Amino acid sequence: MAGTIINTHLLGLTSENRINAIVIDDTFYGKLRSKCVELLANVHDHAGKGSKFKKGFRMLTLGWTNGNTFIPLIFSLLSSEDKKNRYCEMKDGLDKRSIAYKHRTQAITKAPAVMLEMLRTVVKSGIQAKHVLFDS
């Protein structure tokens, strides 16, 4: 859906001189009062005051921009890959072929691997961009 909007409506509105880019960012998604949320983890909030570890997830978001418009394309909630930093584990008995299982295993994968998987998905969808922007 987003790819159709970008390719049919937005690309025609921008000049050839404007740079289209994919932007990737991770943001702290807090669940500070929760106790038993599946894969809830102690994650580092690098943007908050004091840069502390807090209960929640890291939300990895990938979006498209032409410098004026931003369209979010894909996101993934990331837990900690280290078991000792997780408060609750994944439910047992999930069918390994299901989307639910795939999302949960992706949540405990390292962020660079998830980012590359997300980029492959965007490239396959035909969204055009010349650059990829992300912070460290």
Side-chain angles (χ1 to χ4, degrees):
M1 179 76 154
T4 304
I5 292 169
I6 292 167
N7 291 330
T8 59
H9 299 293
L10 295 176
L11 286 179
L13 297 175
T14 58
S15 71
E16 294 290 326
N17 298 333
R18 184 156 270 189
I19 295 174
N20 298 328
I22 298 295
V23 177
I24 302 168
D25 188 41
D26 67 330
T27 305
F28 173 70
Y29 182 74
K31 289 289 196 183
L32 304 176
R33 295 183 180 183
S34 300
K35 294 179 183 173
C36 291
V37 175
E38 196 173 4
L39 295 176
L40 181 69
N42 210 17
V43 295
H44 188 258
D45 179 14
H46 62 274
K49 278 189 173 180
S51 294
K52 297 181 180 180
F53 282 88
K54 298 178 184 174
K55 272 198 252 182
F57 301 93
R58 287 175 44 217
M59 185 168 65
L60 188 63
T61 306
L62 185 143
W64 177 89
T65 186
N66 61 4
N68 190 34
T69 305
F70 178 79
I71 302 206
L73 301 173
I74 305 174
F75 78 94
S76 181
L77 288 177
L78 302 178
S79 181
S80 174
E81 66 176 317
D82 191 358
K83 273 189 166 188
K84 69 179 181 181
N85 288 335
R86 292 196 297 258
Y87 293 98
C88 294
E89 290 302 317
M90 185 170 34
K91 291 180 185 176
D92 291 332
L94 285 174
D95 184 0
K96 293 188 177 177
R97 298 169 295 174
S98 69
I99 288 289
Y101 180 79
K102 291 175 184 175
H103 280 295
R104 285 165 175 84
T105 54
Q106 184 183 53
I108 55 176
T109 306
K110 290 188 176 197
V114 175
M115 178 188 68
L116 289 174
E117 183 180 327
M118 293 166 82
L119 281 169
R120 282 187 204 103
T121 303
V122 169
V123 168
K124 283 181 187 176
S125 70
I127 294 173
Q128 299 175 13
K130 294 180 181 177
H131 301 279
V132 177
L133 307 171
F134 55 92
D135 60 2
S136 59

